Amino acid sequence: MLSDNVKFGPQNAPHRSLYHALGMTKEEMDRPLVGIVSSYNEIVPGHMNIDKIVEAVRLGVAMAGGTPIVFPAIAVCDGIAMGHIGMKYSLVTRDLIADSTECMAMAHGFDALVMVPNCDKNVPGLLMAAARLNLPTVFVSGGPMLAGHVNGAKTSLSSMFEAVGKYTAGKMTLEELEDYECKACPSCGSCSGMYTANSMNCLTEVLGMGLKGNGTIPAPYSQRIELAKHAGMAVMNMLKKGIKARDIMTEDAFHNALTVDMALGCSTNSMLHLPAIAHECGIEINLDIANSISAKTPNLCHLAPAGRTYMEDLNEAGGVYAVMNELNKKGLIKTDCMTVTGKTVGENIANCVNLNPEVIRPIDNPYSTTGGIAVLRGNLAKDGSVVKRSAVAPSMLVHEGPAKVFDSEEEAQAAINAGKIVAGDVVVIRYEGPKGGPGMREMLNPTSAIMGMGLGESVALITDGRFSGATRGACIGHVSPEAAEGGLIGVVQDGDIISIDIPNNKLELKVDQKVLDERMKNFVPKKKELSGYLKRYAQLVSSGAKGAIINA
């Protein structure tokens, strides 16, 4: 046991004295020390219930013969951070979470870990830490929020943002907006659609790092407390069997994650997080791999924002395992991968049937024969860009229109609110990439405003930043190279024609090459005055096409 280096022998008497200062008994010291990484706080709705999850994990670990010890991880609520400087501090926390968890685990010699994340950056950040540490590790999340109910229909946070657009356009009264405000987010948990948090929690199940139901059992359900107890027991079983994180997170496991990502119609942010997690495992995932998997993977689910079903519906339909079993009917899942259960993926998903073909389409009747995410390339995105294809209106899968160019989210939002964006336009928002933002802000406000104003089937948005998992429409993010690194997006001018062809994975700026060469020759990317953590981040971060990983 790693903790033996801290606990036993005369030379470690000073260490034991500090354990005694914690009130730890000799019997507890004699057991394996299991770190429980708690993302609990009182500002993120998806984390307000994690104290109860952590307590259940503690019980599970203790029942199975371990000594549970809790330490914290930070968390940012992307919804609260949206639309202001706070969003610059969202993606950057992924690496802070990974780094601080690595530091705590190594400094204190834990034998195993249970990670308790929930929202957008905590799940990938802790998966990155798990890969680095390579200890027996289980994930159990705080769970998804229940759907809201407004005027007899289910709703969610994405509808809330779009309601603001409707109000701005005069299509909704202030009283109606306030009704949405009070009902859209009715419980604790990660927001109720297939947004980034729920995408990553579901993919943690697929990777084999979480137990069945980790991604879908609603946060308020007592079943999640039971799941947390079983997670505590499972990590002790892993410790006994010698199963470690990188035994589970293999190349085949990431293949499965990308496959189910396409079937579920996950957030485009998964194209940032999966490559970053794989990188920590010594595995390369590039955007070309994602496109090749998408080309042969049917899209089976249209959860919000792509459709009118929610995480609670996916849970009732059989959850992630039912989706995997459906995909496995055509041999699309690597079934030999090890998981935290001590069993293979194939053993875990056997007999997990699809209980609702309206929520999980049968493999022979998909929404589309290709996956929910597409990677687009062309002169405007030489290194790639990403769109949630499953949430794009059919009329916008192929689109050509004049550019309306803005150098920040705020500029674009002001123009949208002022009615300066019209049908046919392609809104370009630049200097919002990993370096240029810095921090690669999600931009749910502009996309939701476009939708709320009724322009979702006639206006496209393109950015070197990123879009929220709650975004729907022809919204293309992660354009690489970004403007701050001298990418072509930096020289797009108002009125330039931009061509989008999602079925053929193309994104082109239709301007004569001689003109573009002249523009690029004279192009000097804008620089921002930075300080503190954002300054360091901008100096070290890679492009969105590479997962915005930190270059050592």
Side-chain angles (χ1 to χ4, degrees):
M1 295 290 177
L2 290 176
S3 63
D4 290 354
N5 297 322
V6 181
K7 296 184 301 187
F8 299 132
Q11 74 278 7
N12 286 327
H15 303 71
R16 291 194 297 275
S17 72
L18 293 168
Y19 285 135
H20 284 298
L22 293 168
M24 191 179 290
T25 65
K26 182 179 183 303
E27 290 80 2
E28 288 174 298
M29 291 184 218
D30 288 342
R31 296 176 176 182
L33 300 185
V34 179
I36 303 173
V37 186
S38 170
S39 302
Y40 169 77
N41 64 42
E42 295 182 342
I43 188 61
V44 185
H47 292 235
M48 63 184 284
N49 64 317
I50 280 179
D51 56 341
K52 295 178 176 61
I53 304 297
V54 167
E55 188 55 35
V57 173
R58 285 172 60 94
L59 287 171
V61 169
M63 284 191 289
T67 297
I69 302 172
V70 179
F71 64 91
I74 62 169
V76 165
C77 177
D78 279 17
I80 294 174
M82 196 71 66
H84 58 95
I85 192 173
M87 182 47 71
K88 293 179 184 287
Y89 288 89
S90 174
L91 180 60
V92 304
T93 65
R94 185 185 72 182
D95 296 277
L96 284 174
I97 291 161
D99 294 347
S100 60
T101 302
E102 176 191 357
C103 291
M104 286 292 289
M106 292 301 293
H108 299 102
F110 289 110
D111 299 306
L113 296 168
V114 180
M115 308 292 200
V116 191
N118 208 25
C119 289
D120 297 30
K121 309 310 168 301
N122 292 76
V123 185
L126 290 178
L127 282 166
M128 289 164 66
R132 291 181 197 173
L133 293 161
N134 199 30
L135 297 170
T137 306
V138 175
F139 277 68
V140 56
S141 77
M145 186 183 289
L146 294 172
H149 291 264
V150 179
N151 298 326
K154 287 184 178 181
T155 190
S156 62
L157 184 66
S158 55
S159 300
M160 184 69 248
F161 275 90
E162 290 178 19
V164 176
K166 290 179 181 179
Y167 172 73
T168 303
K171 297 181 178 182
M172 178 179 284
T173 67
L174 182 59
E175 290 75 18
E176 289 172 323
L177 181 64
E178 289 173 347
D179 191 40
Y180 261 88
E181 176 185 332
C182 294
K183 296 177 179 177
C185 299
S187 74
C188 62
S190 48
C191 296
S192 56
M194 188 54 78
Y195 311 148
T196 306
N198 292 327
S199 295
M200 294 310 302
N201 280 320
C202 287
L203 295 181
T204 298
E205 273 192 66
V206 183
L207 282 170
M209 293 295 290
L211 299 174
K212 179 185 177 184
N214 181 58
T216 60
I217 298 170
Y221 284 15
S222 296
Q223 188 182 358
R224 184 154 289 276
I225 302 297
E226 296 177 28
L227 181 75
K229 291 175 184 175
H230 284 128
M233 298 176 199
V235 81
M236 294 303 297
N237 185 52
M238 290 178 71
L239 187 60
K240 180 180 178 181
K241 292 185 174 182
I243 301 171
K244 298 178 181 179
R246 290 204 296 269
D247 297 328
I248 294 170
M249 290 192 283
T250 62
E251 188 169 351
D252 281 351
F254 282 101
H255 176 279
N256 285 343
L258 285 166
T259 299
V260 178
D261 187 330
M262 301 305 169
L264 285 173
C266 288
S267 163
T268 52
N269 283 313
S270 63
M271 292 298 101
L272 287 175
H273 300 322
L274 287 175
I277 299 160
H279 175 76
E280 298 292 351
C281 296
I283 297 166
E284 181 184 354
I285 292 178
N286 59 45
L287 296 183
D288 292 326
I289 294 171
N291 252 3
S292 66
I293 291 175
S294 181
K296 60 187 178 184
T297 305
N299 178 227
L300 305 182
C301 298
H302 267 192
L303 287 95
R308 297 187 179 277
T309 53
Y310 297 83
M311 295 306 297
E312 60 197 61
D313 301 311
L314 179 59
N315 187 62
E316 294 300 321
V320 174
Y321 279 15
V323 175
M324 295 176 74
N325 203 23
E326 201 68 49
L327 293 168
N328 197 41
K329 291 177 182 178
K330 291 199 172 179
L332 296 174
I333 296 294
K334 308 282 187 181
T335 56
D336 292 335
C337 299
M338 180 51 59
T339 72
V340 294
T341 65
K343 299 178 181 179
T344 65
V345 166
E347 290 173 303
N348 286 345
I349 67 174
N351 304 315
C352 292
V353 298
N354 179 1
L355 301 174
N356 189 339
E358 298 300 315
V359 177
I360 305 170
R361 286 280 186 93
I363 191 76
D364 293 322
N365 183 34
Y367 283 102
S368 65
T369 57
T370 52
I373 290 176
V375 174
L376 312 185
R377 291 184 186 270
N379 66 346
L380 194 51
K382 184 180 66 174
D383 295 338
S385 61
V386 182
V387 63
K388 189 169 184 173
R389 173 167 45 195
S390 60
V392 178
S395 61
M396 290 297 291
L397 289 170
V398 177
H399 178 75
E400 192 170 286
K404 293 280 182 69
V405 184
F406 306 96
D407 286 347
S408 71
E409 177 187 1
E410 288 82 0
E411 289 180 18
Q413 187 66 47
I416 294 167
N417 291 345
K420 295 180 179 179
I421 305 303
V422 299
D425 284 346
V426 178
V427 176
V428 177
I429 308 174
R430 60 194 178 194
Y431 293 104
E432 291 287 3
K435 288 183 179 292
M440 205 177 187
R441 287 195 286 183
E442 286 185 347
M443 287 175 278
L444 183 55
N445 283 343
T447 61
S448 298
I450 291 289
M451 281 291 174
M453 291 177 173
L455 296 171
E457 296 189 14
S458 60
V459 170
L461 292 92
I462 294 174
T463 184
D464 53 10
R466 61 196 177 102
F467 293 118
S468 166
T471 290
R472 62 190 179 104
C475 302
I476 300 163
H478 310 194
V479 170
S480 301
E482 61 176 292
E485 287 197 302
L488 191 67
I489 191 173
V491 300
V492 179
Q493 296 181 4
D494 284 344
D496 287 350
I497 300 300
I498 293 176
S499 174
I500 300 165
D501 186 347
I502 295 173
N504 290 303
N505 307 105
K506 294 289 187 181
L507 180 62
E508 293 281 343
L509 179 61
K510 301 188 77 173
V511 174
D512 184 86
Q513 189 59 49
K514 289 183 179 178
V515 175
L516 292 181
D517 289 343
E518 188 64 25
R519 288 186 193 176
M520 291 298 290
K521 185 173 70 174
N522 298 312
F523 177 42
V524 179
K526 292 183 177 181
K527 300 290 184 183
K528 296 179 181 178
E529 290 296 323
L530 301 172
S531 61
Y533 186 65
L534 291 181
K535 183 176 181 179
R536 280 179 282 148
Y537 184 83
Q539 291 170 343
L540 296 173
V541 70
S542 72
S543 76
K546 295 182 178 179
I549 61 173
I550 296 297
N551 294 310

